[in-house]
Amino acid sequence: MMSSESSPLFAGSIPQFYAQYLVPMLFEPYAADLAARVADMRPNRVLELAAGTGVVTRHLARVLTHDVTIIATDLSQPMLDQAAQTASVRPVEWCQADAQRLPFPDQSFDVVVCQFGVMFFADKVQAFSEARRVLRPQGQFIFNVWDRVENNEFADTVLQAVRPLFRADRPPFLTRIPHGYFDPAVIQDDLVRAGFTRLPRISTMTAQSRADAPHLPAMALCQGTPMRNELEAQEPDVLQVATEQASAAMAARFGTGAVEGQMQALVVVAEAG
């Protein structure tokens, strides 16, 4: 999930919370979808950007034949360390790398894939240009981004609960970054500026997010994302207050037992000319 944005920090206990709570609750269905799409492209070499704790990587390892090379990168070494702790069914090359300055030769991959990472790139056009540079002719760049927060019920519920704890002049992390890059026209323009001459294919994918109890999404989003850093920077007890308020809001909206809510993302496929 992490790449080149300077302010969010995926370190400390965040990678563990991220892997334990966020991955099964939010990312698994989208990871399976991306991996299946990549498999349909029949690549020989695949590069993953912003691999985070490796959920897409593990799906790729399962669906791609063993002769396909998979290189998974992320800017955050703690996230890669967490990813490497979970065994995959086949060897994967893990590599710390900045998506804006990829350490790979031109035209060296058939597919570049990124799950919920491009929102973090400080210079998206530069990162997209790097993806295009390392793609072979007719290679595919495939990524997904979260739709607006209002279309993602768990995130929206938590955000509304904790918003009063943030400064009025700075949007919280959830709206500023994860749910801040969802306009198809903006995405298309950035890809064109990066050198993708063919218009991308952009589709919407809706899925269901599930958790065994309402406090789990609250804990995941408050403590397993860089929103934790923003909360802890205020007062010593704000993180706990935010988690409790978010838990109460989740229970009020979804009930006190197992909870389920809609989530929505955009899937983008751009072909290198």
Side-chain angles (χ1 to χ4, degrees):
M1 185 176 176
M2 175 61 179
S3 193
S4 307
E5 214 233 28
S6 59
S7 56
L9 181 63
F10 285 82
S13 61
I14 288 178
Q16 182 179 357
F17 271 88
Y18 183 100
Q20 183 174 356
Y21 298 110
L22 279 171
V23 166
M25 186 179 71
L26 300 180
F27 299 140
E28 282 287 354
Y30 290 102
D33 173 72
L34 277 188
R37 292 172 188 256
V38 171
D40 287 343
M41 296 170 182
R42 300 186 180 278
N44 292 313
R45 286 175 55 83
V46 175
L47 173 66
E48 184 181 357
L49 307 179
T53 57
V55 58
V56 172
T57 322
R58 290 187 288 276
H59 278 278
L60 289 171
R62 284 194 287 269
V63 302
L64 297 177
T65 58
H66 283 216
D67 61 329
V68 177
T69 300
I70 303 173
I71 300 178
T73 69
D74 199 281
L75 184 64
S76 170
Q77 188 61 49
M79 294 291 271
L80 291 177
D81 292 341
Q82 182 69 42
Q85 292 178 23
T86 304
S88 68
V89 297
R90 48 165 296 186
V92 170
E93 182 178 338
W94 304 97
C95 176
Q96 184 179 21
D98 185 342
Q100 297 171 175
R101 293 180 294 275
L102 293 174
F104 305 109
D106 295 357
Q107 300 185 10
S108 51
F109 295 95
D110 303 295
V111 173
V112 175
V113 59
C114 183
Q115 164 139 293
F116 299 127
V118 304
M119 306 91 74
F120 292 86
F121 300 159
D123 187 338
K124 295 176 179 59
V125 173
Q126 174 61 27
F128 292 170
S129 178
E130 279 290 275
R132 183 189 56 78
R133 179 184 65 79
V134 301
L135 278 171
R136 293 167 178 159
Q138 285 74 57
Q140 306 286 319
F141 179 30
I142 178 169
F143 61 90
N144 54 19
V145 295
W146 291 116
D147 202 348
R148 64 182 71 244
V149 71
E150 293 83 0
N151 292 332
N152 289 270
E153 293 180 333
F154 283 5
D156 186 49
T157 303
V158 169
L159 177 64
Q160 296 307 320
V162 304
R163 188 187 289 274
L165 301 174
F166 289 91
R167 290 167 23 197
D169 63 340
R170 181 172 172 80
F173 166 79
L174 285 180
T175 51
R176 195 175 72 253
I177 300 175
H179 296 277
Y181 189 65
F182 54 80
D183 187 335
V186 172
I187 296 170
Q188 176 177 299
D189 182 64
D190 285 346
L191 286 165
V192 170
R193 291 168 59 203
F196 286 90
T197 57
R198 299 178 181 177
L199 294 181
R201 303 189 301 277
I202 302 178
S203 58
T204 300
M205 179 179 171
T206 300
Q208 293 299 305
S209 180
R210 299 176 177 86
D212 291 337
H215 75 277
L216 294 175
M219 184 182 300
L221 291 167
C222 290
Q223 301 187 26
T225 74
M227 188 163 71
R228 177 184 189 131
N229 303 325
E230 296 179 337
L231 291 165
E232 289 180 325
Q234 300 182 57
E235 298 290 340
D237 62 342
V238 168
L239 177 62
Q240 184 61 34
V241 170
T243 305
E244 291 173 356
Q245 291 183 185
S247 297
M250 286 291 302
R253 181 170 180 179
F254 299 102
T256 57
V259 294
E260 182 173 319
Q262 179 177 293
M263 51 185 175
Q264 188 162 294
L266 304 181
V267 181
V268 182
V269 181
E271 182 177 313

